[in-house]
Amino acid sequence: METQTYKYPRQKINGIWLIIAGIAMFLLLIKYNGYPNVWPFIFVYILGMIWQLNPKTRKRLAISSGTPKQNKWSNFSIILLSILVFLVINLFSNDYRICWLLILLAVGVHFLPFIPVHGKLMFFLSISLIINAFIGLNFTNTSLDVFFVIDGLIKILFGSIFIKLSPINF
């Protein structure tokens, strides 16, 4: 297969990013006054974003740049996530459990527009995360930590699959 024609040139970066995001989810198990301490999560998440958007990372771990259409889908997905999280925080900040589960739902939804960018596997990632969030919203007696762990494990699993599928070697 020629590298120029590979349909999903950034699968390895996506896979590593999903593993970083999955690990960040486990950091939400750290509590501050009984609530998830967001600062360790935010720190790892931001470092992961900086790493994955770094031109050196992209040059080393991608076959090529995404197509203009893929870049538009990526941008749309990030904007969609930002809007959804903004709305959730502003509408549901009085109930931290509902707020977190709706954020998990928003993250799951935002992976759908990434299907043209990283392939059909993103659909299954998205659906898995959406189901986890919906179960959390319906099983109110189950600890929120359970859904953080499941979310993190799903991301790590799919991240590992994306790394395995990518034709780029380390």
Side-chain angles (χ1 to χ4, degrees), residues 34 54 72 79 87 107 118 129 144 165:
N54 183 303
K72 285 179 184 177
I79 292 167
L87 289 172
V107 169
H118 298 297
L129 295 173
L144 185 57
L165 289 176

Side-chain angles (χ1 to χ4, degrees), residues 5 44 63 111 119 128 139 161:
T5 61
V44 169
I63 294 171
F111 282 126
S128 300
F139 287 86
I161 294 168

Side-chain angles (χ1 to χ4, degrees), residues 9-14 16 51 56-64 166 168-170:
R10 295 183 297 212
Q11 281 184 324
K12 184 154 284 195
I13 294 170
N14 181 51
I16 296 169
W51 171 83
K56 289 180 184 176
T57 302
R58 288 181 173 242
K59 184 176 182 181
R60 180 159 189 256
L61 296 176
I63 294 171
S64 63
S166 176
I168 298 276
N169 292 319
F170 286 104

Side-chain angles (χ1 to χ4, degrees), residues 5-30:
T5 61
Y6 190 70
K7 194 170 182 178
Y8 308 113
R10 295 183 297 212
Q11 281 184 324
K12 184 154 284 195
I13 294 170
N14 181 51
I16 296 169
W17 163 245
L18 285 171
I19 291 171
I20 293 168
I23 292 168
M25 290 304 300
F26 289 113
L27 295 174
L28 291 170
L29 300 175
I30 299 170

Side-chain angles (χ1 to χ4, degrees), residues 14 26 40 84 107 110 112 143 164:
N14 181 51
F26 289 113
L84 291 174
V107 169
H110 110 285
L112 289 171
S143 170
K164 183 82 173 150

Side-chain angles (χ1 to χ4, degrees), residues 26-160:
F26 289 113
L27 295 174
L28 291 170
L29 300 175
I30 299 170
K31 302 298 180 215
Y32 180 75
N33 291 332
Y35 297 100
N37 185 351
V38 298
W39 295 112
F41 168 83
I42 289 171
F43 180 75
V44 169
Y45 190 90
I46 289 172
L47 284 179
M49 287 298 284
I50 291 168
W51 171 83
Q52 81 153 324
L53 296 173
N54 183 303
K56 289 180 184 176
T57 302
R58 288 181 173 242
K59 184 176 182 181
R60 180 159 189 256
L61 296 176
I63 294 171
S64 63
S65 297
T67 65
K69 183 178 179 183
Q70 287 174 327
N71 292 336
K72 285 179 184 177
W73 278 111
S74 292
N75 292 337
F76 171 74
S77 180
I78 299 302
I79 292 167
L80 175 64
L81 179 61
S82 299
I83 292 169
L84 291 174
V85 169
F86 175 82
L87 289 172
V88 166
I89 289 171
N90 282 292
L91 296 174
F92 298 96
S93 61
N94 58 334
D95 185 338
Y96 87 96
R97 178 185 172 79
I98 296 294
C99 188
W100 271 109
L101 289 166
L102 289 174
I103 289 171
L104 295 182
L105 179 63
V107 169
V109 168
H110 110 285
F111 282 126
L112 289 171
F114 274 114
I115 294 169
V117 180
H118 298 297
K120 294 175 186 170
L121 192 56
M122 292 301 284
F123 173 77
F124 297 105
L125 168 63
S126 178
I127 295 304
S128 300
L129 295 173
I130 289 169
I131 289 171
N132 181 52
F134 272 129
I135 291 171
L137 289 165
N138 287 298
F139 287 86
T140 57
N141 292 333
T142 305
S143 170
L144 185 57
D145 289 348
V146 170
F147 302 101
F148 289 155
V149 168
I150 293 169
D151 185 278
L153 289 173
I154 290 169
K155 288 174 182 157
I156 290 169
L157 171 67
F158 277 88
S160 300

